[in-house]
Amino acid sequence: MHETMLLNALGGHGSPKFTDANAIADYHAITGYVPGHDDTDNGTDMVDAAHYRQRTGLIDANGVRHKIDGFVSLTVGNVEEVTLAAYLFGAVGLGADLPTNAEDQFNAEQPWSLTLHPGHDGGHYFPCVGRNSEGNLLVVTWGRLHAVEPAWLAERMDEGVAYISRESLRGNEL
């Protein structure tokens, strides 16, 4: 939904509003997750989610479905391809294997780096929107921008998708 907000803003269409209920409803439709039953939260394959976004679209707070027009997979661990795709398409979706203390570094506002504990905390999805002046990638996760060191992404990334959307094009009537 963060990507949809950004793509619409890039296209000059304003940023649609989404609620937690919107996110949960689409996540349920894609994955089968049942709210309140954590044992049903098994994540999803990003290509399956991209197909859902293309065929059905994500619903916003006004009941409007936002569809993508296409998508391409990115090469796992290829940081330059990720940053180029983020530049060209406005944002890309990334999946990564989070180490056990990634949330601690997020809360301390420290970039994710290879100094993180090697333990596994599960898969996590986040959009990448560019790079900062230190060369770290900027991702949107847990409601805000966060820096990710390139070496961390090269090692931890397990999926990547660039979305093609008319919503990101200026002058396009939706």
Side-chain angles (χ1 to χ4, degrees):
M1 294 177 172
H2 287 102
E3 292 152 342
T4 300
M5 294 163 56
L6 176 61
L7 293 173
N8 274 268
L10 288 172
H13 308 292
S15 183
K17 304 291 184 224
F18 293 93
T19 66
D20 290 346
N22 297 139
I24 292 169
D26 281 322
Y27 191 66
H28 166 75
I30 297 167
T31 69
Y33 167 70
V34 177
H37 298 275
D38 290 345
D39 59 321
T40 65
D41 187 3
N42 298 308
T44 193
D45 177 86
M46 287 178 54
V47 172
D48 291 343
H51 281 296
Y52 177 86
R53 290 179 67 180
Q54 187 174 25
R55 293 179 187 135
T56 305
L58 301 177
I59 194 164
D60 69 18
N62 292 320
V64 175
R65 290 267 175 199
H66 298 270
K67 294 181 181 182
I68 59 169
D69 296 286
F71 61 93
V72 295
S73 293
L74 301 174
T75 305
V76 171
N78 187 327
V79 175
E80 292 309 311
E81 183 176 281
V82 167
T83 55
L84 177 61
Y87 174 76
L88 291 173
F89 297 104
V92 296
L94 301 175
D97 178 27
L98 286 188
T100 54
N101 66 344
E103 195 168 348
D104 293 338
Q105 281 207 317
F106 174 85
N107 291 334
E109 298 185 14
Q110 299 170 341
W112 288 338
S113 70
L114 291 179
T115 61
L116 293 175
H117 297 162
H120 170 77
D121 198 34
H124 187 57
Y125 176 90
F126 45 86
C128 176
V129 297
R131 281 188 131 145
N132 65 15
S133 60
E134 287 85 39
N136 293 326
L137 290 94
L138 292 174
V139 303
V140 179
T141 187
W142 298 317
R144 70 167 165 82
L145 278 177
H146 187 69
V148 174
E149 292 182 0
W152 184 93
L153 187 70
E155 183 164 315
R156 291 288 186 172
M157 177 185 171
D158 56 20
E159 287 186 275
V161 177
Y163 304 103
I164 302 161
S165 171
R166 282 186 238 171
E167 290 182 330
S168 68
L169 302 176
R170 289 202 172 272
N172 183 44
E173 295 301 319
L174 298 177

